[in-house]
Amino acid sequence: HIQDPASQRLTWNKPPKSVLVIKKIRDASLLQPFKELCVYLTEENNMIVYVEKKVLEDPAIANDENFGPVKKKFCTFREDYDDISNQIDFIICLGGDGTLLYASSLFQGSVPPVMAFHLGSLGFLTPFNFENFQSQVTQVIEGNAALVLRSRLKVKVVKEHREKMTVQNGIEENGVMSTNIEKEVGKQIMQYQVLNEVVVDRGPSSYLSNVDVFLDGHLITTVQGDGVIVSTPTGSTAYAAAAGASMIHPNVPAIMITPICPHSLSFRPIVVPAGVELKIMLSPDARNTAWVSFDGRKRQEICHGDSISITTSCYPLPSICFRDPVSDWFESLAECLHWNVRKKQNNFAVEEEE
């Protein structure tokens, strides 16, 4: 029996007590919705509200005397400094799709359910409108909502850690004069949880990127072009769609491999099963280095000997639906991307018999 995606529901073991509110920074239009939501959560529902410290440093919030009593009740945190992963029952995002990606980046393990309000530019991943936020938030607190589990990618970057050292007397063993040499002194390992995509590109170089792609240890192809996108189904409607890939519903267990401007007529995007391990490395004969980014963040250079390992994470992002996983997704396709929108063809006019 294959599970119906619509059967995924949000249920609480115990009533939620704490909520993380994420607001898009430097957007004056979100100040009033943010204040209204926080007042409703603290005074009407007696919730513990977590807010990022830099949000409260906005002068429009810091100088608002009427908002002061509410602000004193907040718990604050700083990104990359404070671990709040075990203190949050659910998340509310105010902004565009970027706020959901940012929420994902804050939780490198299990992610609380996310309720995303459409207050940004695109809004493909943010199905809720803010007009009736009170009733919608109440429904979520009561556990009356559908869920879509958005798979994430677990990414491990292994870098050959090199440092420049001055050679004693400026002379190497072979007698050649040298002031600095690079010496390998171990490996540097970084891990990321990615909701949309991992992008490997040629960076500032004018040469084609030249990277090898391995699947479960087997070399499957070499990408020669501007780069390659490895995305989740959620990310299939983002950069991957712009690069010519198919759009995949977030309930489909899959990983997508999409080339960026490949220098080959036959290199088409492919879909591989969720759970396989992809590995991307610079080809031995690559003329230049490559660059990698994760959901558009943490951009860094990849050199010879470095590797990027990608597989499906065991920590998906539970996204709360406005209606259900199918209706929400197709409405987003129509509203945000204008998928299959055209004037309808007229039918033939039937001439009446004389």
Side-chain angles (χ1 to χ4, degrees):
H1 176 68
I2 298 176
Q3 184 183 17
D4 179 4
S7 66
Q8 294 174 176
R9 305 290 299 182
L10 171 65
T11 56
W12 300 109
N13 293 327
K14 55 183 179 179
K17 294 295 182 184
S18 59
V19 56
L20 168 61
V21 178
I22 295 179
K23 184 186 83 71
K24 187 179 179 182
I25 304 295
R26 295 184 297 276
D27 191 337
S29 66
L30 296 183
L31 291 174
Q32 191 59 35
F34 172 74
K35 294 174 182 178
E36 290 179 17
L37 174 65
C38 292
V39 168
Y40 179 73
L41 290 170
T42 54
E43 297 184 357
E44 299 291 332
N45 292 279
N46 200 27
M47 302 282 289
I48 301 171
V49 177
Y50 284 77
V51 178
E52 194 168 7
K53 194 170 184 180
K54 63 184 178 183
V55 171
L56 300 183
E57 292 171 353
D58 188 320
I61 294 177
N63 300 329
D64 189 341
E65 295 181 358
N66 295 328
F67 194 58
V70 177
K71 192 170 61 176
K72 289 180 181 178
K73 300 179 182 179
F74 289 160
C75 295
T76 60
F77 72 97
R78 295 170 299 166
E79 183 189 9
D80 296 330
Y81 283 93
D82 303 315
D83 183 13
I84 58 170
S85 56
N86 294 322
Q87 301 169 36
I88 305 298
D89 290 329
F90 74 104
I91 304 169
I92 297 179
C93 292
L94 303 177
D97 293 346
T99 56
L100 190 67
L101 296 173
Y102 180 67
S104 172
S105 71
L106 294 175
F107 295 86
Q108 295 300 299
S110 179
V111 188
V114 182
M115 182 182 192
F117 284 94
H118 172 38
L119 291 165
S121 53
L122 184 61
F124 194 93
L125 305 177
T126 53
F128 288 92
N129 292 318
F130 196 75
E131 286 78 10
N132 302 314
F133 78 92
Q134 294 97 333
S135 61
Q136 294 168 346
V137 170
T138 300
Q139 280 188 343
V140 170
I141 292 174
E142 293 173 352
N144 182 21
L147 273 182
V148 57
L149 294 177
R150 298 185 178 275
S151 66
R152 298 197 294 175
L153 298 175
K154 182 176 74 172
V155 186
K156 182 172 73 171
V157 179
V158 179
K159 289 190 173 183
E160 300 288 350
H161 191 62
R162 303 173 182 88
E163 67 178 19
K164 290 191 174 182
M165 302 176 61
T166 302
V167 181
Q168 190 174 5
N169 298 326
I171 302 176
E172 292 183 29
E173 292 181 358
N174 58 7
V176 179
M177 292 296 295
S178 175
T179 55
N180 292 295
I181 62 170
E182 286 190 350
K183 183 177 180 181
E184 292 187 11
V185 290
K187 296 181 183 294
Q188 181 185 11
I189 300 175
M190 294 156 286
Q191 296 198 31
Y192 305 95
Q193 296 283 333
V194 175
L195 179 60
N196 259 3
E197 73 274 299
V198 179
V199 177
V200 180
D201 61 72
R202 60 189 173 93
S205 173
S206 58
Y207 293 114
L208 295 174
S209 69
N210 197 341
V211 296
D212 293 335
V213 179
F214 300 83
L215 193 150
D216 286 341
H218 303 283
L219 176 65
I220 56 171
T221 192
T222 297
V223 180
Q224 294 185 95
D226 280 355
V228 64
I229 304 166
V230 179
S231 64
T232 62
T234 295
S236 70
T237 49
Y239 194 176
S246 294
M247 295 179 288
I248 298 180
H249 190 277
N251 277 113
V252 178
I255 298 175
M256 302 182 64
I257 304 171
T258 307
I260 308 171
C261 298
H263 202 244
S264 167
L265 295 176
S266 59
F267 195 168
R268 303 296 299 274
I270 60 172
V271 180
V272 296
V276 302
E277 184 177 35
L278 294 168
K279 191 173 185 179
I280 300 176
M281 301 181 69
L282 272 182
S283 298
D285 54 351
R287 293 183 177 184
N288 55 299
T289 61
W291 289 74
V292 62
S293 60
F294 314 93
D295 282 342
R297 309 180 80 215
K298 309 290 185 182
R299 185 168 169 80
Q300 54 196 270
E301 190 174 15
I302 298 298
C303 303
H304 283 95
D306 301 342
S307 66
I308 306 164
S309 298
I310 306 169
T311 190
T312 305
S313 170
C314 58
Y315 300 111
L317 183 141
S319 181
I320 299 173
C321 300
F322 177 64
R323 288 191 179 87
D324 60 77
V326 175
S327 299
D328 284 11
W329 193 68
F330 278 99
E331 283 186 17
S332 292
L333 287 181
E335 290 290 326
C336 301
L337 300 183
H338 301 296
W339 177 68
N340 198 29
V341 175
R342 75 180 291 272
K343 293 183 69 176
K344 283 196 174 184
Q345 187 180 49
N346 293 330
N347 62 347
F348 287 120
V350 180
E351 296 182 5
E352 295 183 4
E353 294 183 2
E354 294 183 1

